[in-house]
Every structure is written in structure tokens, then in C-alpha cells.
Amino acid sequence: MKKDIILSGVGGQGILSIATIIGEAAVKAGLTLKQAEVHGMSQRGGDVQSNLRLSDDTIYSDLISMGGADMILSLEPMEALRYLPYLNKEGWIITSSAPFKNIPDYPEDAALQDELKALPHVVAVDVETLAQENRMPKCANVILLGAAARYMGILSDNELRDAVGRVFASKGNAVVEMNRRAFDVGYAAVSAL
């Protein structure tokens, strides 16, 4: 079994933290892991992208080929669409529905949402609003990961949730519990879809 995931977003949104959590869960589960990151101009709100390849067999490259991704996990809807050529026909897009408008010619919200809705396998969750409503404004990325857990396939929600605890353990119990709760908020958000 394998899973090729493209993680995308804008600098500062926590894409690399999601990659760390998934990687931690994969290693603990005994899977082979390869990762390649493109940080872009993250200091200035530029795009951040990571190729994450998981398998129970050998992986020879850390890059995902065009049409090879099983999932695009994105904290920004336009960034999800940027990597659409990499998604396979049966692949899923799990994305935040809230745009991060950091460029002057950002597409109209309606056009962006229409483009996402035209695709066969898309889950869009307003993780920013969920983070604010649950008083965890810095946890939108972990909420998105919780939403994606239902579609991950190669790792269970429990394996991912446990990895959240290990990744944030050095920051103290309160941070661990807040991020576990964020994961659960995201997981619950897609059960209603």
C-alpha cells in the first residue's frame, strides 16, 4: 500500500507541521517515508509545498510525478488548485475553504469555489472559522489534518492523533491537548459532510 500526498499552503500556515505529524505517524507505523519540501518565499507569505510519500514497500524517489498524487492537502484553496496536475483521477483534495489573499490579482471567491466544486473528490472545510470558534487560532493546520484523516487510508485516525501528541510533547501538556482537540474538531467536521 502507498499514499502520495502533496501538502500546500502559504508560509506561516503550518504545512511543515502537518508533514512532521504525518511523518511521525508513518515512522511509528513502520512505513517507508520520503519527503521533499519547497519553502518558497515563506517569510513573505509565499507558497510552501511538500511532497510526502508513504509506503509499506521501497520508495525510490521523494518527488511525486504528474498525475501521481493520491491527495492534495491544502491550507489555501488556490494553492490546492495550483497542484491539480499532480493529482491522480481518483485522488482527493482536502482544503481549507478560506482564502489567504496575499496577491493583488487573487481570483474571485465564487470562481475559486466553483472550480473546486467541479472536481469529483473535494472536501473543503473552513478551518480558520473552526479554529476561532474553538478558541485555538493557531491550530487551523491540525484541524485540517483531522479532516483529512478520514481520507488518508494508509494511516488511521488514532495513529495520526497519537503522533500529534508526540510531535507537540516538548511544548507541554496544554499544547498537546489543544492540538489533539483541534484534530478531533477537524475529524468531526467532515462526518457531517
Side-chain angles (χ1 to χ4, degrees), residues 42-90:
S42 59
Q43 295 286 347
R44 299 183 193 147
D47 70 314
V48 176
Q49 181 260 346
S50 180
N51 282 231
L52 195 56
R53 305 191 72 204
L54 314 171
S55 179
D56 56 6
D57 201 1
T58 304
I59 301 171
Y60 294 101
S61 173
D62 55 355
L63 297 176
I64 298 171
S65 62
M66 293 279 207
D70 301 298
M71 178 182 284
I72 296 172
L73 182 56
S74 182
L75 276 159
E76 209 291 322
M78 187 177 76
E79 292 299 324
L81 293 171
R82 177 193 304 259
Y83 296 101
L84 196 55
Y86 288 89
L87 191 64
N88 70 43
K89 289 184 269 186
E90 298 302 315

Side-chain angles (χ1 to χ4, degrees), residues 7 14-23 73 75 141-142 144-145:
L7 305 171
I15 285 298
L16 301 180
S17 294
I18 292 174
T20 300
I21 295 166
I22 295 172
L73 182 56
L75 276 159
N141 60 335
V142 180
L144 186 69
L145 178 60

Side-chain angles (χ1 to χ4, degrees), residues 145-165:
L145 178 60
R150 291 186 182 271
Y151 305 92
M152 194 75 63
I154 197 164
L155 293 166
S156 73
D157 57 306
N158 286 331
E159 288 171 317
L160 289 164
R161 190 175 189 280
D162 289 347
V164 167

Side-chain angles (χ1 to χ4, degrees), residues 74-77 95-99 112-113 116 123-127 144:
S74 182
L75 276 159
E76 209 291 322
T95 185
S96 170
S97 60
L112 194 61
Q113 296 307 319
L116 284 168
V123 174
V125 179
D126 189 346
V127 295
L144 186 69

Side-chain angles (χ1 to χ4, degrees), residues 132-147:
Q132 294 299 328
E133 288 174 352
N134 287 279
R135 295 182 304 282
M136 51 179 76
K138 294 183 178 182
C139 296
N141 60 335
V142 180
I143 291 172
L144 186 69
L145 178 60

